[in-house]
Amino acid sequence: MSINRPVATALAAALCLLTAACGSSSDATAGDSTTEAASKSGYPVTIDNCGVKQTFEKAPSRVVVMNGASVAEVSTLLALGLGDRIVANQQSYGASEVPGRAAAIKKLPTGDVKLNEAYDIPREAMLGLRPDLVLSVTTYGFDQKNGFATRDQLKQVGAASYVSPQGCDDDPSKMTIADSYRLLRDMGRIFNVSDKAEKLIAASEKNIAAVSDKVKGKKKPKVMVLFSNMTMGSNDFSSIFSRGIVNDILAKAGASNAFESAATTTFADLSKEKVAATDVDAVVVIAYNDPNPAAYARKLLKEFPQWPAAKNNTYVTVSDSMYLGPSNDLAVQKIAEKLHPDAF
């Protein structure tokens, strides 16, 4: 189950940003991002993000995207056609359901900075990049005790900052597809491309509604969702999703999470015995810089031959579409087509 120690440590440190276990910033307040009315030209735009109000007089042109084991922020910018605004990006899954996206992310500048122990951009390096907007998955990325530039320090050098939806309290267990749309809308307003953001959202909603309609009323398979070849906790299986956006995606695809009750946090840390005792009808493996997630899925099914999933060889591999980001509709469709082939 485990991968080599340096890589496992890197992923665990990064994924820590996505779980409540990391703790939250002392000056963060939970709450939705809202945007006040702007003039006909699109500016000024004021964003209230995690209790911090910031006014944009023009579109940012030097954007830094922090790691956080996410590709939601960089993928959202690329989907909106804003790749040329990025001066440093630390996000990559190495794969994507969107043709060409992984390659486009790989081509983005990294800023040539030396990352800290959390595998992200430390304060001095961040300030040296001269950003005018810094995107972080959670408030963890702006916490001084972790060696990062705070939102106030960034403001002092003329840089705005943004924490993604459900990142205010560092708890993505409450995340839904609506948060992906909120990220799109906020970036659309900040960069004055709201029309494009709304078109992307409308297309996604239409695609998901069409899929959900086809699987309506069908029996919902119990699904296990986990990252391939990754351990983050003390047990053999510590990267199993229990809560969060994956449950919304599964529901839209006509399925349910077999481990939803296993934890109240985003991830469940389970023993092999607990996993073996759970009925699993299908497995969804998320590729995080893994070139062959299907091999991991097959290995998993072989390890638990008693599962209905193993007997029917039912698994799906996905990557960035399974988490916060602009492409959740692709995960919904891919999973639904595999679990309910007769509906398509």
Side-chain angles (χ1 to χ4, degrees):
M1 279 293 298
S2 62
I3 50 183
N4 71 74
R5 186 168 296 276
V7 177
T9 302
L11 294 179
L15 281 161
C16 184
L17 275 66
L18 297 179
T19 68
C22 288
S24 58
S25 175
S26 59
D27 62 351
T29 55
D32 293 349
S33 302
T34 56
T35 308
E36 295 176 2
S39 67
K40 190 176 266 188
S41 66
Y43 295 101
V45 168
T46 299
I47 295 280
D48 186 343
N49 176 244
C50 296
V52 178
K53 281 193 175 184
Q54 295 172 106
T55 299
F56 295 83
E57 302 291 344
K58 61 180 181 178
S61 60
R62 294 187 61 81
V63 183
V64 174
V65 184
M66 299 184 75
N67 182 359
S70 175
V71 285
E73 294 73 23
V74 69
S75 293
T76 296
L77 293 179
L78 289 176
L80 291 170
L82 301 168
D84 60 343
R85 310 295 179 91
I86 300 172
V87 295
N89 169 58
Q90 294 301 328
Q91 296 184 349
S92 173
Y93 272 11
S96 176
E97 270 70 69
V98 179
R101 179 167 290 162
I105 291 175
K106 190 174 182 180
K107 289 179 182 177
L108 292 171
T110 62
D112 296 322
V113 299
K114 183 178 180 181
L115 304 182
N116 61 14
E117 291 181 356
Y119 293 86
D120 222 324
I121 305 172
R123 179 173 52 253
E124 294 305 317
M126 177 65 76
L127 299 178
L129 290 169
R130 297 181 293 108
D132 55 10
L133 175 62
V134 179
L135 305 182
S136 177
V137 180
T138 71
T139 53
Y140 181 92
F142 297 125
D143 198 324
Q144 186 167 337
K145 71 173 182 285
N146 298 318
F148 298 120
T150 66
R151 302 188 81 175
D152 282 340
Q153 289 168 344
L154 289 167
K155 184 179 180 180
Q156 288 170 13
V157 295
S161 52
Y162 179 88
V163 178
S164 288
Q166 300 300 342
C168 297
D169 55 1
D170 297 359
D171 183 11
S173 66
K174 303 169 186 173
M175 194 179 288
T176 67
I177 294 171
D179 291 307
S180 292
Y181 298 155
R182 184 148 58 92
L183 177 57
L184 271 166
R185 282 197 173 99
D186 284 349
M187 291 302 107
R189 290 161 179 161
I190 289 172
F191 289 92
N192 196 23
V193 288
S194 287
D195 286 352
K196 190 160 190 175
E198 292 304 326
K199 285 179 181 178
L200 289 171
I201 292 168
S204 175
E205 289 177 330
K206 183 178 180 181
N207 292 343
I208 290 175
V211 171
S212 294
D213 187 57
K214 289 180 180 179
V215 300
K216 188 177 181 180
K218 292 186 175 293
K219 184 179 178 181
K220 296 182 178 181
K222 296 176 182 177
V223 180
M224 178 189 203
V225 182
L226 76 170
F227 282 105
S228 62
N229 291 301
M230 189 187 300
T231 55
M232 298 184 293
S234 57
N235 288 292
D236 291 335
F237 292 88
S238 53
S239 65
I240 297 175
F241 278 89
S242 182
R243 305 290 175 93
I245 195 170
V246 299
N247 290 3
D248 194 15
I249 290 171
L250 291 177
K252 299 290 195 300
S256 64
N257 189 338
F259 296 90
E260 184 173 1
S261 62
T264 57
T265 52
T266 307
F267 294 101
D269 186 6
L270 305 175
S271 65
K272 183 176 179 179
E273 290 73 23
K274 171 66 175 176
V275 172
T278 305
D279 282 333
V280 175
D281 297 316
V283 172
V284 173
V285 172
I286 303 175
Y288 185 108
N289 290 309
D290 182 354
N292 194 359
Y296 175 74
R298 290 191 293 269
K299 177 185 174 185
L300 193 62
L301 295 180
K302 189 175 181 180
E303 190 174 357
F304 300 99
Q306 75 277 15
W307 284 350
K311 295 173 183 176
N312 300 317
N313 193 36
T314 308
Y315 68 87
V316 185
T317 62
V318 292
S319 54
D320 58 343
S321 64
M322 200 62 185
Y323 207 70
L324 185 72
S327 309
N328 296 150
D329 60 313
L330 299 183
V332 171
Q333 182 165 355
K334 191 171 185 180
I335 293 169
E337 287 178 348
K338 182 67 175 182
L339 302 185
H340 302 286
D342 57 324
F344 295 88

